Amino acid sequence: MTAFDEFFMRMALREAEKAASDGETPTGCVIVEEPADENASPSSVRILGRAHNQTEGLVDATAHAEMLALSSAFQIRGNWRLLNTRLYVTKEPCPMCAGAIVLARVPVVVWGASDPKRGGSTVFDIFRHPGINHHPRIVQGVLEEPCVDVLKEFFRLRRK
C-alpha cells in the first residue's frame, strides 16, 4: 500500500460518507489516470470520475458508486476504454460493477473492504475468470479499517 493509493482511497471514503449522509449504502469510488511513475505525487494525476452510491436518490438499481464514476470517466476521456487508469473503491465491487470494470478495461482496481457475501471478485471471481479477455491487477485492503468502519456504522444505525 502506497501513500498514493491511500490518498485516493481517502477521497473515496469522503464519497462514502456523502452516501451515508444521504441514507445510501456508504460506498465511494474515484477513478484517476495512472501515474507516470511509481513515485508520482497524487496532484500529478487527473481525476476522471468521483461518485458515491445513489441508488435510492436516483431510484436506479445500477447507480452504484463505481457505475457513476465510470460514466464520468468515459465522458472525460471520450472513450469507453479506460486504459492507464486506477479505480479506487471503498468496498469490493459487486458482480455488476466488476463486469463493467472489466468491460472498461480498467487496469488496476483498488478496494478497502472485501465483501465475502457478494463480492464480484472474492465470491464470483469475475476479475480472474478465464472466459474474459481482461484481468485487472487487484489491490485489496487499502485503508481497510476505516472502509469497514463506515459500513458497520451505517448498518448499526440502520438497525436501530
Side-chain angles (χ1 to χ4, degrees):
M1 171 170 29
T2 67
F4 185 92
D5 289 339
E6 287 182 3
F7 179 88
F8 289 109
M9 188 60 75
R10 286 187 205 292
M11 190 177 287
L13 271 164
R14 287 192 292 277
E15 289 294 323
E17 290 163 359
K18 288 180 192 176
S21 70
D22 291 343
E24 303 274 0
T25 300
T27 303
C29 182
V30 176
I31 302 172
V32 303
E33 291 184 333
E34 186 70 33
D37 66 68
E38 59 188 51
N39 298 317
S41 162
S43 64
S44 70
V45 300
R46 183 165 63 150
I47 297 170
L48 301 172
R50 177 176 21 197
H52 56 276
N53 276 2
Q54 295 184 55
T55 55
E56 301 296 335
L58 295 177
V59 192
D60 181 348
T62 68
H64 290 196
E66 300 95 322
M67 300 298 282
L68 298 171
L70 285 166
S71 290
S72 173
F74 299 146
Q75 293 303 308
I76 288 172
R77 276 277 181 92
N79 196 324
W80 60 268
R81 291 178 189 88
L82 296 179
L83 306 175
N84 302 313
T85 61
R86 286 189 191 189
L87 183 145
Y88 294 87
V89 63
T90 55
K91 185 181 76 57
E92 177 184 353
C94 73
M96 172 185 68
C97 294
I101 290 164
V102 166
L103 291 173
R105 313 298 197 274
V106 174
V108 181
V109 178
V110 182
W111 71 72
S114 291
D115 185 351
K117 292 184 180 177
R118 291 173 289 284
S121 184
T122 57
V123 176
F124 296 96
D125 206 25
I126 291 168
F127 293 130
R128 290 180 294 279
H129 192 281
I132 61 171
N133 64 346
H134 174 72
H135 302 273
R137 182 168 66 87
I138 305 301
V139 180
Q140 301 176 48
V142 174
L143 299 181
E144 181 176 18
E145 190 172 327
C147 290
V148 168
D149 288 348
V150 72
L151 287 161
K152 282 184 177 178
E153 179 64 10
F154 175 79
F155 288 110
R156 185 186 67 75
L157 293 172
R158 202 89 190 259
R159 285 189 290 273
K160 280 189 168 186

